[in-house]
Amino acid sequence: MPALEDDIEKVLITEEEIQATVRRLGEEITRDYTGKDVLLVGVLKGAFLLMGDLARHIRLPLEFDFMAVSSYGAATKTSGVVRILKDLDREIENRHVLLVEDIVDSGLTLAYLLKNLRTRKPASLEVCALLWKTAMQKVSVDLKYVGFEIPPEFVVGYGLDYGERFRNLPYVGTLKPSAYQGNGE
Ligand code: IMP
Ligand code: MG
């Protein structure tokens, strides 16, 4: 069994940088939503760490729900095909919904989700994404809260996977070319 970090080429965003930024996002959200009842909707599985850390910096009464979608399979390029694997547990009509995403790459997944959620008539619908690959956008999406703009490289860690691995790294990094060999499910 190889060690977890053997396949990491370089650290793009350190644990400290992530934590400071998530704190900043939590404080902004707290300010913007004071007096409102917020529903945080996490997009599984990638947003699971961000949801936990972000929620602890939002000093407001919160409720949580999760959706799971698949866009990629295990490959590293977007297919544009989005499937809902798990839908929300509750209705969101008249709720202030904040969608929490790990990364916006082409934006196709997010555009699909926003369109879908809008039909359910939330009082408001905004997005908080940790990472944004600005150069990769295929559809324009409005991101109210963004942690980091990153170059168009494939990254793992802090929720992000390659072939379901590396999600538990506390930082965001790139993989060595050797890590992609023999794992192209
Ligand atoms: P989009 O539809 O192209 O914006 O892709 C969004 C989804 O693809 C994200 O929620 C991730 O699950 C996955 N994804 C996009 N870029 C990366 C990456 O660099 N590393 C890991 N997963 C990624
Ligand atoms: Mg993935």
Side-chain angles (χ1 to χ4, degrees), residues 72 78 101-103 105-109 133 154-155 160-161:
Y72 272 17
T78 198
E101 262 276 30
D102 50 358
I103 188 165
D105 184 358
S106 67
L108 291 168
T109 307
K133 289 187 194 168
F154 192 80
V155 292
L160 291 153
D161 73 306

Side-chain angles (χ1 to χ4, degrees), residues 47-183:
F48 81 112
L49 290 182
L50 177 59
M51 279 288 269
D53 287 341
L54 183 66
R56 279 176 281 193
H57 292 296
I58 303 178
R59 303 294 182 179
L60 299 171
L62 287 179
E63 286 180 33
F64 298 85
D65 209 336
F66 293 91
M67 286 181 89
V69 297
S70 92
S71 49
Y72 272 17
T76 57
K77 285 204 193 76
T78 198
S79 62
V81 178
V82 179
R83 259 191 321 143
I84 294 185
L85 305 176
K86 183 221 167 289
D87 206 342
L88 297 174
D89 290 341
R90 310 271 290 269
E91 308 281 310
I92 57 168
E93 190 167 349
N94 297 326
R95 304 296 311 270
H96 291 283
V97 175
L98 181 58
L99 193 65
V100 179
E101 262 276 30
D102 50 358
I103 188 165
V104 180
D105 184 358
S106 67
L108 291 168
T109 307
L110 188 59
Y112 172 87
L113 278 173
L114 289 174
K115 191 168 158 223
N116 180 296
L117 292 176
R118 245 180 239 120
T119 64
R120 308 184 199 189
K121 309 241 166 22
S124 69
L125 178 61
E126 300 290 353
V127 180
C128 176
L130 183 72
L131 306 174
W132 185 20
K133 289 187 194 168
T134 47
M136 298 295 286
Q137 274 217 327
K138 284 193 188 143
V139 284
S140 100
V141 279
D142 192 15
L143 304 177
K144 181 141 191 205
Y145 307 97
V146 178
F148 304 90
E149 294 184 12
I150 62 166
E153 280 181 278
F154 192 80
V155 292
V156 296
Y158 199 71
L160 291 153
D161 73 306
Y162 173 63
E164 292 303 326
R165 291 174 59 218
F166 308 106
R167 293 191 196 275
N168 56 321
L169 289 172
Y171 54 81
V172 169
T174 56
L175 289 173
K176 292 176 186 165
S178 57
Y180 295 106
Q181 278 149 29
N183 193 6

Side-chain angles (χ1 to χ4, degrees), residues 20-38 40 54-62 96 98 126 144-146:
T21 293
V22 171
R23 173 186 290 272
R24 193 237 324 144
L25 292 171
E27 289 168 355
E28 275 178 41
I29 291 165
T30 303
R31 270 201 311 277
D32 294 351
Y33 285 89
T34 295
K36 289 177 181 152
D37 196 8
V38 186
L40 278 196
L54 183 66
R56 279 176 281 193
H57 292 296
I58 303 178
R59 303 294 182 179
L60 299 171
L62 287 179
H96 291 283
L98 181 58
E126 300 290 353
K144 181 141 191 205
Y145 307 97
V146 178

